[in-house]
């Protein structure tokens, strides 16, 4: 079973002709499609939420990083992709460092490649201080409360450290919305490694198909779907889904619209 009904339809298009000659092919395909529909119309047991950008507004940190790069705001996307790249380099090499520390190291790399002098201390100051005091996006608290009131179990699931996300949630006023806070620090492998999603599902005592990730990063949604989770993409400005992965069942511009879709499920 795939994570996405449309992907399944594409992969089974050959049944169209075959089912005319061999009826059981058509019956089998319809049975699987019905199962797909049932899953997509059923509430997941646990909603997992990415944190940075999904729940928290990164504007302050982007300004701090841009300032450290000599007001080169055009280098921000390069810095973020470098940070993500080296988090994955660490993961596949069985190494682990705090995501913020990797972010500071990536900032030094980008600076050096563009002739900008930046010390380790200044790089960490530019990343670690602002990331711990980010505000929530305007619609987030109301949307989370509505999901809680509707009976959903909410769990945060982040590449940030345990201490880091606790500090973030305290400063953003989000602590009371979540039953659990999960950090990849406890497994030592960053998302989107498949083991990270499998570990999170085990921690909550549910099957992968009973999990749904809410995230504003295409790579995170892709990782979850490939791990047999369900997904809801928050298409915030600049965010894109990966064209070569399955598509999530929900794709909306903010968390309020996603909450409406999730609450409507039975």
């Amino acid at each position: 079973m795939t994570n996405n009904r449309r992907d399944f339809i594409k992969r089974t298009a050959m049944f169209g002709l075959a089912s005319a000659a061999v009826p059981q092919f058509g019956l089998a395909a319809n049975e699987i499609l019905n199962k797909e529909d049932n899953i997509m119309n059923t509430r997941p047991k646990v909603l997992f939420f990415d944190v940075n950008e999904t729940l928290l507004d990164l504007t302050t940190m982007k300004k701090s990083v841009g300032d450290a790069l000599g007001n080169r705001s055009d280098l921000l996307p390069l810095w973020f992709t470098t940070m993500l790249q080296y988090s994955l380099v660490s993961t596949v090499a069985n190494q682990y460092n705090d995501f913020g520390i990797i972010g500071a190291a990536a900032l030094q790399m980008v600076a050096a490649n563009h002739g900008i002098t930046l010390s380790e201390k200044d790089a960490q100051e530019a990343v670690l201080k602002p990331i711990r005091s980010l505000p929530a996006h305007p619609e987030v608290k109301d949307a989370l409360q509505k999901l809680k009131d509707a009976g959903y179990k909410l769990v945060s699931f982040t590449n940030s450290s345990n201490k880091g996300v606790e500090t973030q949630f305290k400063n953003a006023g989000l602590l009371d919305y979540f039953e659990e806070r999960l950090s990849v620090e406890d497994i030592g492998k960053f998302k989107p490694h498949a083991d990270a999603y499998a570990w999170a599902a085990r921690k909550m005592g549910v099957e992968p198909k009973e999990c749904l990730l809410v995230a504003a990063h295409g790579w995170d949604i892709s990782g979850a779907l490939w791990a047999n989770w369900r997904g809801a993409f928050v298409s915030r400005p600049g965010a894109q889904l990966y064209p070569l992965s399955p598509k999530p069942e929900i794709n909306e511009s903010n968390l309020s619209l996603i909450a409406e879709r999730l609450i409507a499920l039975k």
Side-chain angles (χ1 to χ4, degrees):
M1 182 180 296
T2 67
N3 293 293
N4 182 272
R5 187 170 184 266
R6 284 176 294 180
D7 289 340
F8 175 81
I9 292 171
K10 290 178 183 177
R11 295 180 184 183
T12 58
M14 66 184 72
F15 284 135
L17 291 175
S19 62
V22 187
Q24 57 264 39
F25 281 2
L27 292 173
N30 285 335
E31 182 178 347
I32 296 176
L33 286 174
N34 287 335
K35 289 181 179 179
E36 288 282 334
D37 282 336
N38 288 337
I39 290 175
M40 297 306 177
N41 290 322
T42 301
R43 288 191 173 196
K45 287 189 176 180
V46 181
L47 297 180
F48 294 83
F49 290 80
D50 176 55
V51 175
N52 296 312
E53 194 59 58
T54 302
L55 300 176
L56 302 180
D57 186 346
L58 300 185
T59 300
T60 303
M61 189 183 73
K62 288 178 180 177
K63 183 181 185 309
S64 176
V65 169
D67 290 346
L69 291 171
N71 297 317
R72 290 285 306 276
S73 59
D74 58 304
L75 296 178
L76 287 172
L78 177 59
W79 164 69
F80 186 82
T81 55
T82 303
M83 175 171 61
L84 182 61
Q85 176 187 356
Y86 279 90
S87 71
L88 296 179
V89 167
S90 298
T91 293
V92 299
N94 293 321
Q95 304 296 312
Y96 179 81
N97 281 291
D98 181 288
F99 197 51
I101 297 297
I102 293 175
L107 185 57
Q108 284 186 280
M109 295 171 72
V110 172
N113 280 339
H114 290 82
I116 301 167
T117 301
L118 188 64
S119 69
E120 178 181 357
K121 179 181 178 181
D122 288 343
Q124 291 185 4
E125 184 78 9
V127 174
L128 297 177
K129 185 175 181 179
I131 200 172
R132 290 172 180 165
S133 56
L134 299 171
H137 285 289
E139 84 284 2
V140 163
K141 292 181 181 179
D142 182 62
L144 292 176
Q145 187 62 56
K146 286 179 178 177
L147 288 167
K148 284 196 69 172
D149 292 344
Y152 273 110
K153 178 180 290 187
L154 311 185
V155 176
S156 63
F157 181 31
T158 179
N159 277 344
S160 296
S161 67
N162 286 302
K163 181 180 179 181
V165 74
E166 181 182 10
T167 302
Q168 286 182 309
F169 278 8
K170 282 181 179 177
N171 290 334
L174 296 181
L175 276 177
D176 294 338
Y177 294 99
F178 295 92
E179 295 191 26
E180 296 283 349
R181 295 188 307 273
L182 300 185
S183 165
V184 300
E185 180 182 16
D186 293 336
I187 185 178
K189 295 181 180 181
F190 288 102
K191 296 185 293 178
H193 196 291
D195 288 355
Y197 303 97
W199 167 81
R202 289 195 304 271
K203 285 285 289 184
M204 298 310 301
V206 292
E207 296 295 321
K209 65 183 179 181
E210 297 171 325
C211 304
L212 185 144
L213 177 71
V214 181
H217 302 292
W219 53 265
D220 203 356
I221 290 291
S222 294
L225 295 177
W226 281 324
N228 295 317
W229 285 28
R230 297 164 64 181
F233 182 57
V234 191
S235 56
R236 299 202 184 278
Q240 295 292 332
L241 290 168
Y242 181 44
L244 300 185
S245 80
K247 299 297 183 291
E249 64 199 76
I250 298 175
N251 182 347
E252 298 289 355
S253 61
N254 61 60
L255 199 59
S256 291
L257 296 174
I258 286 176
E260 289 178 11
R261 296 276 299 275
L262 289 169
I263 292 169
L265 298 178
K266 304 300 182 185

